[in-house]
Amino acid sequence: MFKRVLIANRGEIACRVGRTCRALGIEYVVVYTEADASSPHLHGAAHAICIGQGPAALSYLDGARIIATAIEFGCDAVHPGYGFLSENSEFAEAVAAAGLTFVGPRPETIAALGDKARAKALMHEAGVPVVPGGGDASDDPEAVEAIVRSVGLPALLKPSAGGGGKGMQIVETFDGLREAVASAIRVARSSFGDGRLIVERYIEQPRHIEVQVFGDSQGNVVHLFERECSLQRRHQKVVEEAPAPSLPESLRQRLVDSAVRGARSLGYLNAGTFEFIVGRDQSFYFLEVNTRLQVEHPVTESITGVDLVEWQLRVASGEPLPLQQDAIRCEGHAMECRIYAEDPAREFRPSPGQVQVVCWPEGVRVEAGVASGGVVPPYYDPMVAKLVTHAVHRSAALQRMRSALEGTLLLGLTSNIGYLLRVLANPGVHAATVHTRYLDENASLFSAGGKPALAAACVAVVEASRDGLDGHRGTWCDVGSLDRGGLAPAAPLGHTHVWSDGVMYSCAWLARSALGYNLAVEGEVHDIHAVQTARASGVA
Ligand code: ADP
Ligand code: ADP
Ligand code: MG
């Protein structure tokens, strides 16, 4: 086993990898940037090395610098986390060339699968059903246009080198096709440095179901069941769960078999995820392979009891897979919510900034990359944490998640916590009848209510300004479904003003009961249940 690992990442995933290293008695070195100097991922490391300025291109994407750091500090392996250099085959190769172990698949596997066109061709050869489409990847507008005409409508334009749900475009009519293709090529070029597009048939109302696979250097390949990631916003996952709810057993079997067959055909090493979309008629199609640990890996860990980072490290060090297929069990149901510093009221624009107080809920798994007083820098993905619940049944895991979100206190930042609560209150989400465009098509159902949220904000202001009343100096309130709102902190007791979207609301505190508050916002009376957060008192 490795003696010392360099973690080439930041935020929650760097914390996550560090935790398993500590559990295995492996020392680790972390890298960070000037913007991340107070990040929790620095704790517990044998060494924390500043590798540059905030922007990722000057730091977390500087492979040569990271490898030099690993060598200088006596590391024998590099764990890339997800994002950044994790799917960069040249980096994986350079790590190996420097005599270090890259914790991930072989560079040639990463290279082959990083290109969606090549990945689909390989999977088609291996007998895995792929999304129907046409032609080769191309950045020639006329060629792409011709492919769209042969594939038929609706079609999907997708950057062949893409990821993170970025740059995809649905084509529903031939009108304006030329402009659509030209703009998709431009976006692909600017986002991924490669303008080539693939064209797929656009599958209507599909579910996104993916299979976690693992391979070792002895040639064993197993799966660790599937995850459902159909709750997406603009092709990006918001809530994930495992196993996929109400999936017919025969279909589940065909999905996991396809993933294992695909992985075997490649001699797949280490962790990987085979992503599929499943049509309404239960047909399923391979989308892509993510050659790394996935953001949503904790739901798989919850149902299987496996530490996937431990498996990654063991397999990378040459050990065989710790369990054979029939010893891997799926128990209960797990759910994950991604908490982002973003503003649901402003097209989910990232909302970086300083975090005043963070209190995570108790009794659930929390993967966090920020702490009280910390900063969410503007340079990186704005995901700040993940909450993970596990229960015998899906309904209990979902209910536990709602309480966990309600019990989360994240002050100072605008976040998507209120949005997540509204998503989890939705009947379609409860019934698991959703598809990948459900959140986008029903966006109005998930937007924040105006005045009740403002009333809750008033409670927060009033509480914060009570100063000494009941002996709770600086007690904060959980503002529940509030997404944002500029608060007027100096407001007099019992009466305050709340700014929201440029409008000032006048709020009167009418009465306080054992359970909460009776407030009037612009004359409209609301009962607000304010959760007293003794845990936060004195922190603010
Ligand atoms: P997952 O299925 O694990 O959620 P995502 O596709 O959402 O995978 O990507 C995980 C992380 O990696 C996100 O931070 C995303 O922004 C980033 N990412 C993935 N692929 C790319 C890419 N090709 N270019 C830039 N960022 C990427
Ligand atoms: P990325 O690398 O950006 O993650 P994917 O190919 O995995 O790209 O697709 C991301 C999401 O886009 C999928 O989860 C699904 O919601 C949607 N999607 C992708 N391809 C199709 C398709 N052919 N038809 C319908 N939806 C699709
Ligand atoms: Mg994907």
Side-chain angles (χ1 to χ4, degrees):
M1 185 40 95
F2 306 117
K3 289 207 163 46
R4 190 176 265 197
V5 172
L6 183 131
I7 302 174
N9 215 298
R10 65 177 300 280
E12 68 87 17
I13 194 62
C15 297
R16 166 72 193 87
V17 174
R19 198 165 73 231
T20 290
C21 287
R22 287 198 297 278
L24 295 176
I26 300 171
E27 289 185 340
Y28 57 96
V29 172
V30 295
V31 291
Y32 68 97
T33 64
E34 288 165 14
D36 267 341
S38 66
S39 168
H41 84 269
L42 276 55
H43 299 318
H47 297 278
I49 314 303
C50 184
I51 51 163
Q53 294 168 32
L58 306 175
S59 51
Y60 297 116
L61 289 171
D62 185 347
R65 180 90 193 256
I66 288 170
I67 292 169
T69 305
I71 294 169
E72 183 182 346
F73 289 88
C75 299
D76 38 15
V78 175
H79 193 303
Y82 56 70
F84 296 127
L85 295 166
S86 62
E87 293 179 279
N88 183 320
S89 60
E90 285 162 22
F91 176 69
E93 221 161 279
V95 168
L100 309 169
T101 304
F102 178 78
V103 181
R106 296 183 184 88
E108 55 274 24
T109 311
I110 299 174
L113 296 176
D115 184 301
K116 287 188 206 290
R118 227 168 123 197
K120 283 178 72 178
L122 285 168
M123 286 304 113
H124 179 68
E125 269 168 43
V128 175
V130 302
V131 189
D136 294 326
S138 170
D139 57 5
D140 169 11
E142 274 173 29
V144 175
E145 251 181 77
I147 299 170
V148 172
R149 289 184 193 280
S150 73
V151 168
L153 299 180
L156 185 68
L157 306 175
K158 210 187 255 189
S160 195
K166 285 176 216 136
M168 287 188 285
Q169 197 160 323
I170 302 170
V171 180
E172 278 164 320
T173 64
F174 290 119
D175 296 342
L177 176 60
R178 177 142 307 173
E179 294 76 57
V181 168
S183 103
I185 291 174
R186 264 199 314 276
V187 171
R189 215 168 257 153
S190 67
S191 305
F192 307 108
D194 179 345
R196 288 172 315 125
L197 301 178
I198 60 169
V199 181
E200 289 183 348
R201 196 164 84 216
Y202 181 70
I203 310 293
E204 309 265 8
Q205 305 205 328
R207 292 168 72 175
H208 172 118
I209 300 180
E210 58 185 35
V211 179
Q212 175 73 55
V213 300
F214 233 104
D216 65 20
S217 52
Q218 283 80 352
N220 303 301
V221 174
V222 296
H223 72 82
L224 292 100
F225 302 96
E226 81 284 358
R227 295 183 284 257
E228 166 112 32
C229 312
S230 299
L231 283 170
Q232 305 185 348
R233 224 180 45 73
R234 300 194 183 149
H235 309 302
Q236 290 172 29
K237 299 160 188 170
V238 175
V239 178
E240 304 99 340
E241 54 190 302
S246 2
L247 189 67
E249 193 47 44
S250 62
L251 178 53
R252 166 173 298 131
Q253 203 54 53
R254 283 189 289 139
L255 278 165
V256 297
D257 287 348
S258 295
V260 168
R261 186 181 327 132
R264 284 225 168 92
S265 75
L266 301 163
Y268 199 91
L269 180 66
N270 219 289
T273 294
F274 279 65
E275 296 192 327
F276 298 91
I277 45 176
V278 178
R280 290 165 71 78
D281 59 359
Q282 315 243 314
S283 52
F284 67 89
Y285 309 98
F286 166 84
L287 280 181
E288 63 161 345
V289 184
N290 291 326
T291 52
R292 54 171 161 88
L293 194 66
Q294 201 93 340
V295 173
E296 56 275 19
H297 75 278
V299 293
T300 298
E301 296 187 320
S302 296
I303 59 160
T304 59
V306 165
D307 179 335
L308 290 171
V309 176
E310 175 181 346
W311 279 32
Q312 284 194 293
L313 293 165
R314 291 197 182 284
V315 160
S317 76
E319 290 183 28
L321 285 169
L323 292 176
Q324 296 192 340
Q325 188 68 67
D326 50 10
I328 303 170
R329 297 271 153 69
C330 165
E331 270 171 37
H333 196 95
M335 200 169 259
E336 174 183 279
C337 281
R338 301 183 181 201
I339 297 181
Y340 286 92
E342 63 184 14
D343 188 348
R346 298 197 170 165
E347 281 120 40
F348 294 84
R349 233 183 279 158
S351 58
Q354 171 136 36
V355 185
Q356 282 170 325
V357 180
V358 188
C359 277
W360 299 114
E362 274 152 26
V364 304
R365 177 167 169 185
V366 179
E367 299 290 347
V370 288
S372 290
V375 172
V376 177
Y379 309 111
Y380 321 111
D381 188 279
M383 192 182 79
V384 294
K386 306 177 306 202
L387 299 184
V388 186
T389 62
H390 184 217
V392 175
H393 299 295
R394 180 176 187 268
S395 55
L398 198 154
Q399 192 46 48
R400 216 165 269 182
M401 183 61 84
R402 292 177 73 180
S403 330
L405 288 165
E406 276 162 9
T408 299
L409 195 68
L410 185 57
L411 297 175
L413 277 187
T414 299
S415 79
N416 67 336
I417 292 177
Y419 175 77
L420 290 168
L421 276 166
R422 296 188 290 275
V423 167
L424 294 188
N426 177 270
V429 173
H430 278 243
T433 52
V434 303
H435 54 84
T436 56
R437 294 241 288 168
Y438 186 79
L439 294 183
D440 292 327
E441 285 173 6
N442 297 285
S444 64
L445 292 181
F446 306 112
S447 59
K451 290 182 181 174
L454 286 170
C458 291
V459 174
V461 177
V462 169
E463 279 285 320
S465 62
R466 290 195 319 150
D467 219 26
L469 264 189
D470 298 350
H472 286 292
R473 194 190 136 75
T475 300
W476 288 88
C477 287
D478 190 326
V479 290
S481 65
L482 179 75
D483 292 327
R484 57 191 301 277
L487 307 180
L493 190 66
H495 189 267
T496 191
H497 296 100
V498 176
W499 283 91
S500 184
D501 281 337
V503 180
M504 190 172 73
Y505 296 85
S506 157
C507 310
W509 180 22
L510 303 179
R512 184 168 185 219
S513 68
L515 268 183
Y517 296 81
N518 200 227
L519 283 140
V521 179
E522 302 287 308
E524 204 177 273
V525 178
H526 299 276
D527 281 311
I528 301 294
H529 178 180
V531 184
Q532 283 266 340
T533 50
R535 283 180 293 146
S537 68
V539 182

